[in-house]
Amino acid sequence: MTDVPVRREKLKSSWIFRPGVRSAVIQILLVALVVLIGWFIYRTTRQNIITQRIPIGFDFFWIESGFSISQTLISFNENNTYARAFLVGLLNTLFVSALGVLFATVIGFLVGIGRLSQNWIIARLCGGYVELIRNLPLLFQILFWYLAVLAALPGPRQSFTFFGDIFINNRGILMPKPMFGDGIGIVAAVAAAGILLSIVMTALARRYRVQTGTALKTWPFSLLLIVVAPLFVFFFLKVGVTVDRPELKGFNFNGGLRIIPEFLALLIALSTYTAGFIAEIVRAGILAVPRGQTEAARALGLRRSKLLQLVVVPQAMRVIVPPLTSQYLNLFKNSSLAVSIGYPDLVSVFAGTTLNNTGQAIEILGITMLVYLVISLVISFVMNIYNRRIALRER
Amino acid sequence: MKRSTILFSLALTFASAGAAQAATLDDIKARGSILCGVSGGLAGFAQPDDKGNWNGIDVDFCRALAAAIFNDPTKVKFLPLTAKDRFTALQSREVDLLSRNTTWTSSRDTQLGFNFAGVIYYDAQGFMVRKSAKVSSALELSNTTVCTQSGTTTQLNLADYFRSNNMKYEAVVFNTADEVIKAYESGRCDVFTTDVSQIYAERLKLAKPDEHMILPELISKEPLGPLVRHGDDQWFDIVKWTLFAMLNAEEYDISQKTLEQRLKSDRPDVKRLLGIEGNYGEQFGLTNDWIVRIIRHVGNYGEIYDRNVGEGSRLKIDRGLNKLWNKGGIQYAPPVR
C-alpha cells in the first residue's frame, strides 16, 4: 500500500474566526468584566464609607454585647462579646437545621413509602399531606405553628402536666434535667470509644462476609461495647445522678430543661414542610426501580425484607440522594425565617441585633453570607461523597 | 413597601460614588421631594390612616422640612422602616433623614456615622404588664419573660436594668413592633417593654387595653430625634434649625392661629424669626420666610405635639419633660441671631 498524497487546501480565513482565539478572547473579556465590577464595588464602597466616616473592621467582635439571648447552647450573658453572640446564633441555626434534617428525612421517607402503600386510606392520607404541606407558604406555616398552635397553650400556672414533672405551656415544654456528678466525662469517653470500635468491627465483619460468604454476628459485641461498658464504668466510678426539676416560681418555671416555643414552632414547620418534598422524592426514587428487578429478586426467593434491603432501596437511593441534597440545603437556608418568630438564630442575633448595635452592615452581612455559603457547601460535599458511594459502579 | 437590610447594604456597595459628593439639599431640590424614613406604624409618631395619609409627630417634622424647602408640605415621600433596617437605610442614602422615634446615643452619633439634629420627644423606657399579674413595681419582675424589639436601645436597657437589679429574665426578641405586641398579647411574655410613648400607642392595639397597666419605673433616658448622615453640614443645619424653629415659634407664641397677627409684630426677635429682618434662612440655602412656611403649613412644636400625641390625640400623653423650658419642661432651642 502506498501513500496517496493528499493535497490539503489551506483554508484561508481571518484569525477572528479561529475557535481557539475566539474562546480565549471571550474568556479574557469575561474575566476583565468580573474584575471591573469587583473593582467598581470596592471603589464605591470605600468612597461611601469614607464620606460617611463609618469606621470599618472587625474590632467590634471583641466588644461586650450587652444583650441576652433566649436560647443558648453554650453559656451566654450580657458580659460576653459579640463574637460569642455570633457563635450562639450560629449554633442555634445549626441545631434547628440538624434536627430539622433528621425529622424531615424520617417523616419524608415514611410519607413517601406510605403513598405507595396498598392500603387505600394510608395512601390517600399521605397524598393529602403532601399536597397540603407543599402548597402552603413556609412562612405562613411557621406563623401558624407559633401564633395559632403554641401561643394558644395555657400560661405557666395552668400548664398541662404529664407524669408530674413535664409541663407544657405557652412558654414551651419543661422537663426534668438529669445532672451528672464528676466522672461523667469518662463514661462518655468510654461510650464514644465503644461506638468507634463497633463501627470498625462491623466493617471488618462485612469484609469477612464478602470474602468468605459467612455472616458473623456482631451485635452482641456492639451492645457490650456501647451500653454495658459505659454502664459498668458509671457504677464503678460511682457517678451520681441528681434530677433538676422545673418548679413554678413567680411568673415562670425555674430549673429543668426547657424547649422554647420559637424553637418548637420553627422545627415543626421546617421538618413537616421539607418532609412533603422529600416524600415525593422518595416516591419517585422507588418508582424508578424497574419492575423487573423486583420480579427477579422474588424469583431468586428473597424474602420481602431482603428484597427491599438488597434490591429496591439501594437502587432507589441513587435516584433519591441528589434531589435530597437540595432539600437539605433548602431546609438549612429556610431556617433563617426564624427571625419572624423571634427564634435567636444567626440572622436574628448577628445580622439583626449585632448589626444594629454596631452598625457594621457590610462586615456583618458579608460574614453571614459567607457562613451560609460555607455550610451549604459542606452539606453538598458530604452528600456528594455519600452519593458517590451508593452510585452505580460499573465493573 | 418593605426593604431589607441586605438591599440597603447592597446600595451602600453599589450606589454611585459620584452622587455621594452632591449636597443633600441639591439632591432634594432636583428630586422635588424629601425621602423621609419613618416608623412602620406607630400611633402618634408615624402611622398611615385608612386612606394612606401619614400622621404623627415624626411625619409632621418631615412635612415641616418640605414646607421650608418647597413651600409645600406634601413634597415628602415616607419610607416605613423597621428598627433593624433603619440605620442601614440612612447610611446607604435610601432616605435623606430618619425621623423615626430613634434614641440619640453616643454610638449612633459616632460609630454609625450619624448626626442627631436635636430632640423632638424626651421619652423614657417603661414596662407594661397585665393587671391580673398583680405587680406594682418593676422590681417585682424577677423571673419573667419580656417581649421586645430587635436592634433598639430598649433591648440593651432591658438587659442593663435586670442585670443591675440581679433579676432573672428571658428576653424574646422580634423584628417588628407588631410582632412584639402580638407575642405579648398571646401570653408568650409577661412583660412588654419599650419607650413609654410607644407603650401608650401599642396598648391601643390590644383587644382589651384596660387590662394592662404601665409600671411607674422609668429605666432609661430616651431622647428621640431626627438624624442625618455624617458629611453634609448644610443639610444637618437645616434639619437641626427646623426643629429649633418650631420650638422657638412656640416660645414666641407664633402658631397657625396667631401667625398673621405676629407677622405685624414690632418685636425684633419675632421679626428675625419670621424673616422680616435679617437673612436667617438664606444662611443655609433656604428663603427668609421659611419659618412662616413651616408655621402656615404644619404649625409650631406645641401644635404638632398636641395634635399627634397630646390632648388633641387618642394617646393623650402629658407633655411632661416636653414642655418648653419656661413652662417647666426641658425643650429649649438656641436663639436666632
Side-chain angles (χ1 to χ4, degrees):
Chain A
M1 215 176 135
T2 52
D3 282 344
V4 181
V6 180
R7 253 194 82 208
R8 282 218 179 124
E9 185 102 17
K10 231 190 177 175
L11 277 172
K12 275 221 157 178
S13 63
S14 167
W15 60 270
I16 296 175
F17 296 107
R18 248 183 282 157
V21 176
R22 238 186 195 195
S23 80
V25 167
I26 290 173
Q27 289 184 44
I28 288 168
L29 281 179
L30 195 67
V31 169
L33 191 71
V34 170
V35 169
L36 201 72
I37 291 173
W39 181 78
F40 174 74
I41 292 176
Y42 170 77
R43 203 199 58 167
T44 48
T45 309
R46 210 183 115 86
Q47 188 71 48
N48 285 338
I49 283 169
I50 288 170
T51 47
Q52 290 169 40
R53 288 177 242 157
I54 305 170
I56 49 166
F58 297 95
D59 296 341
F60 71 90
F61 262 124
W62 314 113
I63 301 172
E64 187 187 279
S65 65
F67 61 89
S68 74
I69 301 175
S70 59
Q71 175 192 300
T72 59
L73 298 179
I74 51 174
S75 73
F76 181 83
N77 64 36
E78 294 87 348
N79 298 322
N80 291 129
T81 57
Y82 284 120
R84 199 167 174 91
F86 165 75
L87 207 60
V88 168
L90 178 61
L91 286 174
N92 281 344
T93 289
L94 291 176
F95 185 50
V96 78
S97 305
L99 283 180
V101 161
L102 183 72
F103 287 124
T105 310
V106 172
I107 302 170
F109 271 76
L110 289 178
V111 174
I113 294 167
R115 224 183 153 179
L116 295 172
S117 166
Q118 306 288 325
N119 185 321
W120 190 85
I121 294 179
I122 290 179
R124 287 304 134 103
L125 272 179
C126 292
Y129 170 87
V130 168
E131 291 312 329
L132 181 74
I133 291 282
R134 272 203 318 177
N135 293 313
L136 292 174
L138 176 57
L139 183 60
F140 168 80
Q141 293 190 35
I142 293 175
L143 291 175
F144 168 79
W145 287 107
Y146 187 59
L147 289 173
V149 179
L150 297 177
L153 291 168
R157 279 157 215 272
Q158 294 85 33
S159 306
F160 295 128
T161 311
F162 297 95
F163 312 114
D165 269 337
I166 297 175
F167 303 93
I168 297 181
N169 54 45
N170 61 11
R171 306 290 156 84
I173 301 176
L174 292 114
M175 56 189 88
K177 184 165 71 176
M179 306 280 280
F180 297 104
D182 294 337
I184 189 65
I186 301 173
V187 177
V190 170
I195 292 171
L196 214 66
L197 276 175
S198 302
I199 292 173
V200 173
M201 188 174 66
T202 315
L204 287 176
R206 189 188 157 86
R207 185 177 298 170
Y208 183 75
R209 195 195 68 207
V210 170
Q211 281 168 357
T212 65
T214 322
L216 294 173
K217 230 180 211 172
T218 55
W219 67 263
F221 297 101
S222 298
L223 190 75
L224 194 74
L225 283 168
I226 298 173
V227 180
V228 181
L231 273 180
F232 178 75
V233 177
F234 182 80
F235 288 113
F236 183 75
L237 291 176
K238 294 198 183 76
V239 181
V241 187
T242 50
V243 178
D244 178 19
R245 289 193 166 77
E247 241 177 302
L248 188 62
K249 202 174 162 198
F251 283 91
N252 271 326
F253 280 89
N254 253 353
L257 187 72
R258 193 166 72 97
I259 305 171
I260 59 171
E262 289 78 26
F263 174 77
L264 273 180
L266 188 66
L267 180 62
I268 295 173
L270 281 178
S271 338
T272 52
Y273 178 77
T274 314
F277 292 89
I278 293 180
E280 284 301 89
I281 293 170
V282 169
R283 187 170 71 107
I286 293 174
L287 289 179
V289 179
R291 215 177 146 65
Q293 295 283 324
T294 324
E295 285 165 353
R298 223 176 268 154
L300 286 173
L302 287 179
R303 271 182 287 136
R304 191 171 160 73
S305 60
K306 285 279 166 197
L307 182 154
L308 283 175
Q309 190 195 333
L310 297 174
V311 179
V312 177
V313 173
Q315 296 189 73
M317 286 311 275
R318 284 178 200 143
V319 180
I320 291 173
V321 168
L324 192 64
T325 310
S326 336
Q327 289 309 323
Y328 288 171
L329 291 175
N330 278 346
L331 187 144
F332 168 64
K333 286 176 288 181
N334 284 340
S335 73
S336 62
L337 287 170
V339 80
S340 62
I341 55 167
Y343 175 71
D345 76 328
L346 183 68
V347 174
S348 166
V349 171
F350 191 61
T353 306
T354 303
L355 190 159
N356 229 270
N357 291 343
T358 61
Q360 311 286 333
I362 295 174
E363 295 89 334
I364 287 179
L365 287 178
I367 293 172
T368 310
M369 281 194 270
L370 202 67
V371 166
Y372 274 94
L373 185 70
V374 166
I375 294 174
S376 291
L377 288 176
V378 167
I379 294 175
S380 297
F381 181 68
V382 171
M383 291 299 283
N384 280 344
I385 290 179
Y386 181 61
N387 191 32
R388 221 171 295 140
R389 281 195 50 189
I390 60 165
L392 189 63
R393 253 161 291 179
E394 305 205 10
R395 298 189 175 104
Chain B
M1 187 161 46
K2 204 169 175 181
R3 302 191 191 184
S4 70
T5 318
I6 296 179
L7 275 183
F8 293 134
S9 297
L10 280 181
L12 202 57
T13 43
F14 283 106
S16 150
Q21 306 302 331
T24 312
L25 182 62
D26 297 339
D27 283 352
I28 290 170
K29 282 181 174 165
R31 194 191 302 128
S33 65
I34 300 173
L35 294 175
C36 174
V38 293
S39 165
L42 175 60
F45 285 82
Q47 196 178 35
D49 63 15
D50 46 10
K51 291 182 200 76
N53 298 316
W54 286 86
N55 293 305
I57 198 165
D58 285 343
V59 165
D60 278 349
F61 180 74
C62 283
R63 294 222 170 96
L65 277 169
I69 297 170
F70 297 112
N71 198 17
D72 180 355
T74 62
K75 293 201 166 164
V76 191
K77 287 212 180 82
F78 295 104
L79 261 93
L81 300 166
T82 65
K84 187 168 153 271
D85 294 336
R86 58 186 159 174
F87 298 129
T88 324
L90 182 59
Q91 283 174 343
S92 61
R93 308 181 70 85
E94 293 294 315
V95 292
D96 297 317
L97 79 156
L98 281 183
S99 178
R100 200 211 164 279
N101 58 302
T102 299
T103 306
W104 187 350
T105 68
S106 59
S107 65
R108 290 171 180 177
D109 210 336
T110 56
Q111 200 185 356
L112 267 65
F114 300 135
N115 280 325
F116 278 81
V119 179
I120 199 168
Y121 191 100
Y122 286 99
D123 211 336
Q125 186 175 340
F127 296 108
M128 175 164 74
V129 294
R130 289 176 184 76
K131 282 182 182 161
S132 59
K134 307 246 182 296
V135 175
S136 57
S137 155
L139 293 168
E140 298 166 34
L141 294 180
S142 188
N143 208 18
T144 48
T145 306
V146 187
C147 279
T148 187
Q149 203 181 347
S150 156
T152 56
T153 47
T154 310
Q155 194 188 352
L156 303 176
N157 296 332
L158 170 74
D160 284 358
Y161 183 77
F162 277 78
R163 190 158 44 141
S164 49
N165 287 301
N166 279 322
M167 299 193 294
K168 241 187 82 183
Y169 75 108
E170 177 202 19
V172 190
V173 180
F174 295 90
N175 240 355
T176 66
D178 259 349
E179 288 164 359
V180 183
I181 194 74
K182 248 184 229 146
Y184 169 75
E185 188 166 29
S186 78
R188 174 66 181 93
C189 298
D190 305 298
V191 186
F192 175 84
T193 184
T194 184
D195 300 348
V196 173
S197 65
Q198 209 170 330
I199 298 184
Y200 273 92
E202 296 292 342
R203 187 163 65 164
L204 294 176
K205 289 184 189 163
L206 297 171
K208 290 175 184 153
D210 300 339
E211 289 178 3
H212 304 267
M213 60 181 280
I214 297 168
L215 296 176
E217 281 86 356
L218 299 176
I219 65 163
S220 69
K221 294 185 285 188
E222 305 287 335
L224 311 179
L227 56 154
V228 297
R229 280 179 298 275
H230 273 173
D232 187 344
D233 290 345
Q234 180 199 26
W235 176 236
F236 177 40
D237 284 344
I238 291 172
V239 176
K240 183 165 57 182
W241 282 93
T242 297
L243 179 58
F244 290 155
M246 297 173 94
L247 287 167
N248 276 327
E250 188 187 4
E251 187 176 335
Y252 290 106
D253 190 29
I254 305 167
S255 66
Q256 285 183 310
K257 268 185 219 144
T258 61
L259 178 65
E260 296 309 321
Q261 172 220 328
R262 298 299 275 172
L263 277 170
K264 293 175 202 124
S265 169
D266 289 334
R267 283 180 58 176
D269 43 9
V270 173
K271 281 181 144 175
R272 263 201 306 278
L273 201 60
L274 295 179
I276 298 162
E277 262 175 23
N279 64 344
Y280 178 49
E282 280 171 4
Q283 286 165 355
F284 19 70
L286 300 175
T287 56
N288 279 336
D289 68 340
W290 66 294
I291 294 183
V292 177
R293 295 171 169 190
I294 293 174
I295 302 304
R296 184 170 292 144
H297 294 298
V298 184
N300 68 27
Y301 180 77
E303 287 174 299
I304 66 165
Y305 186 98
D306 185 67
R307 185 196 311 156
N308 293 306
V309 290
E311 278 308 306
S313 73
R314 283 202 306 159
L315 299 177
K316 304 207 187 314
I317 306 175
D318 185 67
R319 257 187 85 172
L321 285 178
N322 292 298
K323 285 180 192 147
L324 290 184
W325 61 282
N326 53 6
K327 303 259 174 64
I330 54 172
Q331 282 289 11
Y332 183 104
V336 172
R337 188 161 282 285

